[in-house]
PDB file of all heavy atoms in Angstrom:
ATOM      1  N   LYS A  23      37.478 -23.838 -88.890  1.00  0.00           N
ATOM      2  CA  LYS A  23      38.228 -24.356 -87.822  1.00  0.00           C
ATOM      3  C   LYS A  23      37.749 -25.786 -87.361  1.00  0.00           C
ATOM      4  O   LYS A  23      38.301 -26.406 -86.523  1.00  0.00           O
ATOM      5  CB  LYS A  23      38.024 -23.387 -86.558  1.00  0.00           C
ATOM      6  CG  LYS A  23      38.741 -22.060 -86.784  1.00  0.00           C
ATOM      7  CD  LYS A  23      38.540 -21.144 -85.550  1.00  0.00           C
ATOM      8  CE  LYS A  23      38.988 -19.776 -85.802  1.00  0.00           C
ATOM      9  NZ  LYS A  23      38.701 -18.905 -84.711  1.00  0.00           N
ATOM     10  N   THR A  24      36.657 -26.216 -88.012  1.00  0.00           N
ATOM     11  CA  THR A  24      36.222 -27.555 -87.679  1.00  0.00           C
ATOM     12  C   THR A  24      37.292 -28.589 -87.932  1.00  0.00           C
ATOM     13  O   THR A  24      38.005 -28.586 -88.978  1.00  0.00           O
ATOM     14  CB  THR A  24      35.050 -27.921 -88.606  1.00  0.00           C
ATOM     15  OG1 THR A  24      33.991 -26.989 -88.333  1.00  0.00           O
ATOM     16  CG2 THR A  24      34.469 -29.390 -88.273  1.00  0.00           C
ATOM     17  N   PRO A  25      37.534 -29.540 -87.019  1.00  0.00           N
ATOM     18  CA  PRO A  25      38.553 -30.495 -87.192  1.00  0.00           C
ATOM     19  C   PRO A  25      38.203 -31.347 -88.520  1.00  0.00           C
ATOM     20  O   PRO A  25      37.092 -31.732 -88.791  1.00  0.00           O
ATOM     21  CB  PRO A  25      38.415 -31.466 -85.977  1.00  0.00           C
ATOM     22  CG  PRO A  25      37.919 -30.482 -85.034  1.00  0.00           C
ATOM     23  CD  PRO A  25      37.024 -29.707 -85.675  1.00  0.00           C
ATOM     24  N   LEU A  26      39.255 -31.652 -89.311  1.00  0.00           N
ATOM     25  CA  LEU A  26      39.138 -32.309 -90.642  1.00  0.00           C
ATOM     26  C   LEU A  26      38.526 -33.726 -90.217  1.00  0.00           C
ATOM     27  O   LEU A  26      37.646 -34.230 -91.060  1.00  0.00           O
ATOM     28  CB  LEU A  26      40.514 -32.577 -91.151  1.00  0.00           C
ATOM     29  CG  LEU A  26      40.599 -33.448 -92.412  1.00  0.00           C
ATOM     30  CD1 LEU A  26      39.760 -32.900 -93.521  1.00  0.00           C
ATOM     31  CD2 LEU A  26      42.070 -33.665 -92.870  1.00  0.00           C
ATOM     32  N   LEU A  27      38.770 -34.352 -89.228  1.00  0.00           N
ATOM     33  CA  LEU A  27      38.194 -35.627 -88.731  1.00  0.00           C
ATOM     34  C   LEU A  27      36.604 -35.496 -88.795  1.00  0.00           C
ATOM     35  O   LEU A  27      35.980 -36.434 -89.293  1.00  0.00           O
ATOM     36  CB  LEU A  27      38.619 -36.075 -87.457  1.00  0.00           C
ATOM     37  CG  LEU A  27      38.008 -37.418 -86.900  1.00  0.00           C
ATOM     38  CD1 LEU A  27      38.406 -38.556 -87.827  1.00  0.00           C
ATOM     39  CD2 LEU A  27      38.456 -37.643 -85.480  1.00  0.00           C
ATOM     40  N   TYR A  28      36.106 -34.424 -88.207  1.00  0.00           N
ATOM     41  CA  TYR A  28      34.610 -34.265 -88.132  1.00  0.00           C
ATOM     42  C   TYR A  28      34.075 -34.231 -89.507  1.00  0.00           C
ATOM     43  O   TYR A  28      32.946 -34.830 -89.794  1.00  0.00           O
ATOM     44  CB  TYR A  28      34.288 -33.101 -87.282  1.00  0.00           C
ATOM     45  CG  TYR A  28      34.709 -33.153 -85.827  1.00  0.00           C
ATOM     46  CD1 TYR A  28      35.387 -34.216 -85.338  1.00  0.00           C
ATOM     47  CD2 TYR A  28      34.333 -32.073 -85.038  1.00  0.00           C
ATOM     48  CE1 TYR A  28      35.754 -34.147 -83.955  1.00  0.00           C
ATOM     49  CE2 TYR A  28      34.753 -32.091 -83.713  1.00  0.00           C
ATOM     50  CZ  TYR A  28      35.394 -33.096 -83.107  1.00  0.00           C
ATOM     51  OH  TYR A  28      35.779 -33.213 -81.849  1.00  0.00           O
ATOM     52  N   VAL A  29      34.652 -33.545 -90.387  1.00  0.00           N
ATOM     53  CA  VAL A  29      34.225 -33.370 -91.767  1.00  0.00           C
ATOM     54  C   VAL A  29      34.278 -34.648 -92.461  1.00  0.00           C
ATOM     55  O   VAL A  29      33.255 -35.128 -93.108  1.00  0.00           O
ATOM     56  CB  VAL A  29      34.954 -32.222 -92.518  1.00  0.00           C
ATOM     57  CG1 VAL A  29      34.582 -32.247 -93.977  1.00  0.00           C
ATOM     58  CG2 VAL A  29      34.666 -30.987 -91.857  1.00  0.00           C
ATOM     59  N   ILE A  30      35.387 -35.372 -92.387  1.00  0.00           N
ATOM     60  CA  ILE A  30      35.494 -36.662 -93.073  1.00  0.00           C
ATOM     61  C   ILE A  30      34.439 -37.689 -92.625  1.00  0.00           C
ATOM     62  O   ILE A  30      33.753 -38.278 -93.385  1.00  0.00           O
ATOM     63  CB  ILE A  30      36.951 -37.254 -92.756  1.00  0.00           C
ATOM     64  CG1 ILE A  30      38.028 -36.482 -93.442  1.00  0.00           C
ATOM     65  CG2 ILE A  30      37.008 -38.783 -93.217  1.00  0.00           C
ATOM     66  CD1 ILE A  30      39.408 -36.821 -93.121  1.00  0.00           C
ATOM     67  N   ARG A  31      34.253 -37.793 -91.319  1.00  0.00           N
ATOM     68  CA  ARG A  31      33.316 -38.761 -90.745  1.00  0.00           C
ATOM     69  C   ARG A  31      31.844 -38.264 -90.832  1.00  0.00           C
ATOM     70  O   ARG A  31      31.034 -38.982 -91.371  1.00  0.00           O
ATOM     71  CB  ARG A  31      33.605 -39.022 -89.271  1.00  0.00           C
ATOM     72  CG  ARG A  31      34.894 -39.863 -89.030  1.00  0.00           C
ATOM     73  CD  ARG A  31      35.166 -40.199 -87.704  1.00  0.00           C
ATOM     74  NE  ARG A  31      34.086 -41.007 -87.190  1.00  0.00           N
ATOM     75  CZ  ARG A  31      33.901 -42.281 -87.203  1.00  0.00           C
ATOM     76  NH1 ARG A  31      34.701 -43.068 -87.895  1.00  0.00           N
ATOM     77  NH2 ARG A  31      32.838 -42.912 -86.597  1.00  0.00           N
ATOM     78  N   ASN A  32      31.557 -37.086 -90.423  1.00  0.00           N
ATOM     79  CA  ASN A  32      30.182 -36.571 -90.288  1.00  0.00           C
ATOM     80  C   ASN A  32      29.569 -36.111 -91.521  1.00  0.00           C
ATOM     81  O   ASN A  32      28.381 -36.331 -91.830  1.00  0.00           O
ATOM     82  CB  ASN A  32      30.095 -35.572 -89.193  1.00  0.00           C
ATOM     83  CG  ASN A  32      30.517 -36.078 -87.821  1.00  0.00           C
ATOM     84  OD1 ASN A  32      30.581 -37.247 -87.584  1.00  0.00           O
ATOM     85  ND2 ASN A  32      30.934 -35.153 -86.919  1.00  0.00           N
ATOM     86  N   ASP A  33      30.440 -35.340 -92.306  1.00  0.00           N
ATOM     87  CA  ASP A  33      29.813 -34.734 -93.520  1.00  0.00           C
ATOM     88  C   ASP A  33      30.036 -35.719 -94.800  1.00  0.00           C
ATOM     89  O   ASP A  33      29.222 -35.749 -95.578  1.00  0.00           O
ATOM     90  CB  ASP A  33      30.540 -33.391 -93.894  1.00  0.00           C
ATOM     91  CG  ASP A  33      30.271 -32.341 -92.807  1.00  0.00           C
ATOM     92  OD1 ASP A  33      29.231 -32.469 -92.079  1.00  0.00           O
ATOM     93  OD2 ASP A  33      31.010 -31.432 -92.483  1.00  0.00           O
ATOM     94  N   LEU A  34      31.081 -36.394 -94.737  1.00  0.00           N
ATOM     95  CA  LEU A  34      31.505 -37.236 -95.954  1.00  0.00           C
ATOM     96  C   LEU A  34      31.105 -38.681 -95.755  1.00  0.00           C
ATOM     97  O   LEU A  34      31.152 -39.490 -96.691  1.00  0.00           O
ATOM     98  CB  LEU A  34      32.889 -37.058 -96.387  1.00  0.00           C
ATOM     99  CG  LEU A  34      33.270 -35.624 -96.732  1.00  0.00           C
ATOM    100  CD1 LEU A  34      34.749 -35.514 -97.081  1.00  0.00           C
ATOM    101  CD2 LEU A  34      32.351 -35.044 -97.815  1.00  0.00           C
ATOM    102  N   GLY A  35      30.911 -39.133 -94.496  1.00  0.00           N
ATOM    103  CA  GLY A  35      30.514 -40.509 -94.143  1.00  0.00           C
ATOM    104  C   GLY A  35      31.652 -41.548 -94.331  1.00  0.00           C
ATOM    105  O   GLY A  35      31.427 -42.674 -94.542  1.00  0.00           O
ATOM    106  N   VAL A  36      32.823 -40.984 -94.334  1.00  0.00           N
ATOM    107  CA  VAL A  36      34.075 -41.924 -94.355  1.00  0.00           C
ATOM    108  C   VAL A  36      34.466 -42.265 -92.921  1.00  0.00           C
ATOM    109  O   VAL A  36      34.919 -41.443 -92.185  1.00  0.00           O
ATOM    110  CB  VAL A  36      35.250 -41.138 -95.147  1.00  0.00           C
ATOM    111  CG1 VAL A  36      36.393 -42.158 -95.183  1.00  0.00           C
ATOM    112  CG2 VAL A  36      34.700 -40.849 -96.615  1.00  0.00           C
ATOM    113  N   LEU A  37      34.343 -43.535 -92.584  1.00  0.00           N
ATOM    114  CA  LEU A  37      34.379 -43.908 -91.200  1.00  0.00           C
ATOM    115  C   LEU A  37      35.623 -44.564 -90.665  1.00  0.00           C
ATOM    116  O   LEU A  37      35.788 -44.917 -89.485  1.00  0.00           O
ATOM    117  CB  LEU A  37      33.132 -44.715 -90.868  1.00  0.00           C
ATOM    118  CG  LEU A  37      31.822 -44.115 -91.068  1.00  0.00           C
ATOM    119  CD1 LEU A  37      30.673 -45.057 -90.813  1.00  0.00           C
ATOM    120  CD2 LEU A  37      31.604 -42.767 -90.348  1.00  0.00           C
ATOM    121  N   GLY A  38      36.581 -44.802 -91.536  1.00  0.00           N
ATOM    122  CA  GLY A  38      37.908 -45.425 -91.149  1.00  0.00           C
ATOM    123  C   GLY A  38      38.564 -44.696 -90.102  1.00  0.00           C
ATOM    124  O   GLY A  38      38.962 -45.216 -89.130  1.00  0.00           O
ATOM    125  N   PRO A  39      38.939 -43.335 -90.196  1.00  0.00           N
ATOM    126  CA  PRO A  39      39.554 -42.585 -89.242  1.00  0.00           C
ATOM    127  C   PRO A  39      38.656 -42.535 -88.017  1.00  0.00           C
ATOM    128  O   PRO A  39      37.407 -42.223 -88.099  1.00  0.00           O
ATOM    129  CB  PRO A  39      39.885 -41.247 -89.835  1.00  0.00           C
ATOM    130  CG  PRO A  39      39.529 -41.385 -91.227  1.00  0.00           C
ATOM    131  CD  PRO A  39      38.615 -42.552 -91.502  1.00  0.00           C
ATOM    132  N   LYS A  40      39.163 -42.761 -86.805  1.00  0.00           N
ATOM    133  CA  LYS A  40      38.339 -42.670 -85.638  1.00  0.00           C
ATOM    134  C   LYS A  40      38.722 -41.533 -84.697  1.00  0.00           C
ATOM    135  O   LYS A  40      39.767 -41.088 -84.736  1.00  0.00           O
ATOM    136  CB  LYS A  40      38.598 -44.014 -84.843  1.00  0.00           C
ATOM    137  CG  LYS A  40      38.261 -45.271 -85.643  1.00  0.00           C
ATOM    138  CD  LYS A  40      36.804 -45.539 -85.861  1.00  0.00           C
ATOM    139  CE  LYS A  40      36.446 -46.785 -86.450  1.00  0.00           C
ATOM    140  NZ  LYS A  40      36.798 -47.037 -87.864  1.00  0.00           N
ATOM    141  N   PHE A  41      37.735 -41.198 -83.917  1.00  0.00           N
ATOM    142  CA  PHE A  41      37.984 -40.197 -82.772  1.00  0.00           C
ATOM    143  C   PHE A  41      38.499 -41.102 -81.606  1.00  0.00           C
ATOM    144  O   PHE A  41      37.865 -41.868 -81.137  1.00  0.00           O
ATOM    145  CB  PHE A  41      36.739 -39.492 -82.412  1.00  0.00           C
ATOM    146  CG  PHE A  41      37.020 -38.384 -81.362  1.00  0.00           C
ATOM    147  CD1 PHE A  41      37.419 -37.204 -81.594  1.00  0.00           C
ATOM    148  CD2 PHE A  41      36.833 -38.815 -79.968  1.00  0.00           C
ATOM    149  CE1 PHE A  41      37.702 -36.258 -80.576  1.00  0.00           C
ATOM    150  CE2 PHE A  41      37.076 -37.901 -78.955  1.00  0.00           C
ATOM    151  CZ  PHE A  41      37.517 -36.604 -79.267  1.00  0.00           C
ATOM    152  N   GLY A  42      39.721 -40.753 -81.196  1.00  0.00           N
ATOM    153  CA  GLY A  42      40.238 -41.389 -80.058  1.00  0.00           C
ATOM    154  C   GLY A  42      40.397 -40.482 -78.880  1.00  0.00           C
ATOM    155  O   GLY A  42      39.564 -40.451 -78.025  1.00  0.00           O
ATOM    156  N   CYS A  43      41.453 -39.682 -78.896  1.00  0.00           N
ATOM    157  CA  CYS A  43      41.702 -38.828 -77.719  1.00  0.00           C
ATOM    158  C   CYS A  43      41.281 -37.305 -78.034  1.00  0.00           C
ATOM    159  O   CYS A  43      41.094 -36.538 -77.080  1.00  0.00           O
ATOM    160  CB  CYS A  43      43.153 -38.834 -77.324  1.00  0.00           C
ATOM    161  SG  CYS A  43      44.225 -38.191 -78.616  1.00  0.00           S
ATOM    162  N   GLY A  44      41.301 -36.900 -79.331  1.00  0.00           N
ATOM    163  CA  GLY A  44      40.940 -35.644 -79.598  1.00  0.00           C
ATOM    164  C   GLY A  44      42.094 -34.715 -79.436  1.00  0.00           C
ATOM    165  O   GLY A  44      42.049 -33.393 -79.599  1.00  0.00           O
ATOM    166  N   LEU A  45      43.254 -35.223 -78.996  1.00  0.00           N
ATOM    167  CA  LEU A  45      44.468 -34.339 -78.787  1.00  0.00           C
ATOM    168  C   LEU A  45      45.625 -34.653 -79.630  1.00  0.00           C
ATOM    169  O   LEU A  45      46.748 -34.219 -79.288  1.00  0.00           O
ATOM    170  CB  LEU A  45      44.859 -34.521 -77.300  1.00  0.00           C
ATOM    171  CG  LEU A  45      43.790 -34.175 -76.229  1.00  0.00           C
ATOM    172  CD1 LEU A  45      44.248 -34.742 -74.844  1.00  0.00           C
ATOM    173  CD2 LEU A  45      43.567 -32.734 -76.271  1.00  0.00           C
ATOM    174  N   ALA A  46      45.438 -35.444 -80.720  1.00  0.00           N
ATOM    175  CA  ALA A  46      46.505 -35.851 -81.583  1.00  0.00           C
ATOM    176  C   ALA A  46      47.523 -36.672 -80.962  1.00  0.00           C
ATOM    177  O   ALA A  46      48.671 -36.670 -81.376  1.00  0.00           O
ATOM    178  CB  ALA A  46      47.056 -34.546 -82.291  1.00  0.00           C
ATOM    179  N   GLN A  47      47.187 -37.396 -79.902  1.00  0.00           N
ATOM    180  CA  GLN A  47      48.127 -38.149 -79.169  1.00  0.00           C
ATOM    181  C   GLN A  47      48.056 -39.688 -79.367  1.00  0.00           C
ATOM    182  O   GLN A  47      48.934 -40.408 -79.036  1.00  0.00           O
ATOM    183  CB  GLN A  47      48.072 -37.888 -77.674  1.00  0.00           C
ATOM    184  CG  GLN A  47      48.448 -36.519 -77.313  1.00  0.00           C
ATOM    185  CD  GLN A  47      48.280 -36.141 -75.838  1.00  0.00           C
ATOM    186  OE1 GLN A  47      47.783 -36.962 -75.089  1.00  0.00           O
ATOM    187  NE2 GLN A  47      48.666 -35.003 -75.488  1.00  0.00           N
ATOM    188  N   CYS A  48      46.874 -40.120 -79.827  1.00  0.00           N
ATOM    189  CA  CYS A  48      46.679 -41.614 -79.900  1.00  0.00           C
ATOM    190  C   CYS A  48      46.912 -42.184 -81.305  1.00  0.00           C
ATOM    191  O   CYS A  48      47.226 -43.311 -81.589  1.00  0.00           O
ATOM    192  CB  CYS A  48      45.322 -42.013 -79.387  1.00  0.00           C
ATOM    193  SG  CYS A  48      43.923 -41.627 -80.448  1.00  0.00           S
ATOM    194  N   GLY A  49      46.562 -41.425 -82.381  1.00  0.00           N
ATOM    195  CA  GLY A  49      46.736 -41.725 -83.773  1.00  0.00           C
ATOM    196  C   GLY A  49      45.535 -42.376 -84.462  1.00  0.00           C
ATOM    197  O   GLY A  49      45.595 -42.679 -85.620  1.00  0.00           O
ATOM    198  N   ALA A  50      44.493 -42.697 -83.772  1.00  0.00           N
ATOM    199  CA  ALA A  50      43.323 -43.336 -84.344  1.00  0.00           C
ATOM    200  C   ALA A  50      42.744 -42.531 -85.559  1.00  0.00           C
ATOM    201  O   ALA A  50      42.078 -43.012 -86.417  1.00  0.00           O
ATOM    202  CB  ALA A  50      42.271 -43.606 -83.290  1.00  0.00           C
ATOM    203  N   CYS A  51      42.960 -41.229 -85.586  1.00  0.00           N
ATOM    204  CA  CYS A  51      42.424 -40.359 -86.615  1.00  0.00           C
ATOM    205  C   CYS A  51      43.322 -40.118 -87.742  1.00  0.00           C
ATOM    206  O   CYS A  51      43.154 -39.261 -88.572  1.00  0.00           O
ATOM    207  CB  CYS A  51      42.082 -38.994 -85.949  1.00  0.00           C
ATOM    208  SG  CYS A  51      43.564 -38.083 -85.342  1.00  0.00           S
ATOM    209  N   THR A  52      44.416 -40.810 -87.882  1.00  0.00           N
ATOM    210  CA  THR A  52      45.410 -40.596 -88.851  1.00  0.00           C
ATOM    211  C   THR A  52      45.030 -40.800 -90.258  1.00  0.00           C
ATOM    212  O   THR A  52      44.392 -41.720 -90.607  1.00  0.00           O
ATOM    213  CB  THR A  52      46.747 -41.428 -88.570  1.00  0.00           C
ATOM    214  OG1 THR A  52      47.176 -41.140 -87.266  1.00  0.00           O
ATOM    215  CG2 THR A  52      47.882 -41.141 -89.572  1.00  0.00           C
ATOM    216  N   VAL A  53      45.182 -39.736 -91.041  1.00  0.00           N
ATOM    217  CA  VAL A  53      44.980 -39.850 -92.542  1.00  0.00           C
ATOM    218  C   VAL A  53      46.241 -39.237 -93.160  1.00  0.00           C
ATOM    219  O   VAL A  53      47.111 -38.772 -92.574  1.00  0.00           O
ATOM    220  CB  VAL A  53      43.690 -38.968 -92.938  1.00  0.00           C
ATOM    221  CG1 VAL A  53      42.490 -39.546 -92.250  1.00  0.00           C
ATOM    222  CG2 VAL A  53      43.881 -37.466 -92.662  1.00  0.00           C
ATOM    223  N   HIS A  54      46.228 -39.352 -94.483  1.00  0.00           N
ATOM    224  CA  HIS A  54      47.337 -38.701 -95.264  1.00  0.00           C
ATOM    225  C   HIS A  54      46.766 -37.472 -95.982  1.00  0.00           C
ATOM    226  O   HIS A  54      45.713 -37.504 -96.567  1.00  0.00           O
ATOM    227  CB  HIS A  54      47.878 -39.669 -96.327  1.00  0.00           C
ATOM    228  CG  HIS A  54      48.575 -40.960 -95.816  1.00  0.00           C
ATOM    229  ND1 HIS A  54      48.944 -41.913 -96.714  1.00  0.00           N
ATOM    230  CD2 HIS A  54      48.818 -41.276 -94.560  1.00  0.00           C
ATOM    231  CE1 HIS A  54      49.500 -42.779 -95.903  1.00  0.00           C
ATOM    232  NE2 HIS A  54      49.483 -42.470 -94.606  1.00  0.00           N
ATOM    233  N   MET A  55      47.524 -36.338 -95.875  1.00  0.00           N
ATOM    234  CA  MET A  55      47.207 -35.143 -96.459  1.00  0.00           C
ATOM    235  C   MET A  55      48.342 -34.944 -97.535  1.00  0.00           C
ATOM    236  O   MET A  55      49.492 -34.803 -97.044  1.00  0.00           O
ATOM    237  CB  MET A  55      46.995 -33.939 -95.585  1.00  0.00           C
ATOM    238  CG  MET A  55      46.553 -32.736 -96.375  1.00  0.00           C
ATOM    239  SD  MET A  55      46.283 -31.118 -95.499  1.00  0.00           S
ATOM    240  CE  MET A  55      45.687 -31.629 -93.910  1.00  0.00           C
ATOM    241  N   ASP A  56      48.051 -34.965 -98.765  1.00  0.00           N
ATOM    242  CA  ASP A  56      49.129 -34.837 -99.792  1.00  0.00           C
ATOM    243  C   ASP A  56      50.283 -35.787 -99.510  1.00  0.00           C
ATOM    244  O   ASP A  56      51.385 -35.469 -99.589  1.00  0.00           O
ATOM    245  CB  ASP A  56      49.554 -33.397 -99.932  1.00  0.00           C
ATOM    246  CG  ASP A  56      48.459 -32.556-100.446  1.00  0.00           C
ATOM    247  OD1 ASP A  56      47.606 -33.015-101.235  1.00  0.00           O
ATOM    248  OD2 ASP A  56      48.435 -31.261-100.113  1.00  0.00           O
ATOM    249  N   GLY A  57      49.989 -37.003 -99.033  1.00  0.00           N
ATOM    250  CA  GLY A  57      50.962 -38.020 -98.781  1.00  0.00           C
ATOM    251  C   GLY A  57      51.629 -38.052 -97.470  1.00  0.00           C
ATOM    252  O   GLY A  57      52.450 -38.955 -97.162  1.00  0.00           O
ATOM    253  N   VAL A  58      51.287 -37.117 -96.624  1.00  0.00           N
ATOM    254  CA  VAL A  58      51.928 -37.035 -95.242  1.00  0.00           C
ATOM    255  C   VAL A  58      50.909 -37.334 -94.220  1.00  0.00           C
ATOM    256  O   VAL A  58      49.742 -36.920 -94.177  1.00  0.00           O
ATOM    257  CB  VAL A  58      52.362 -35.550 -95.013  1.00  0.00           C
ATOM    258  CG1 VAL A  58      52.999 -35.352 -93.538  1.00  0.00           C
ATOM    259  CG2 VAL A  58      53.424 -35.120 -96.055  1.00  0.00           C
TER     260      VAL A  58
END
């Protein structure tokens, strides 16, 4: 259930996506999953 953002940033050290609102409303955390 861990948010993908946390794994990308904290476990994998990929820092481009950011934590903004935590509610999927601001878009700072946007990544592509299978192109979407």
Side-chain angles (χ1 to χ4, degrees):
K23 294 178 185 173
T24 301
L26 177 60
L27 175 65
Y28 295 1
V29 171
I30 290 170
R31 289 184 58 84
N32 301 338
D33 297 335
L34 303 179
V36 179
L37 303 178
K40 304 289 191 284
F41 181 87
C43 65
L45 302 170
Q47 294 178 357
C48 73
C51 67
T52 302
V53 299
H54 294 174
M55 185 182 326
D56 294 330
V58 177

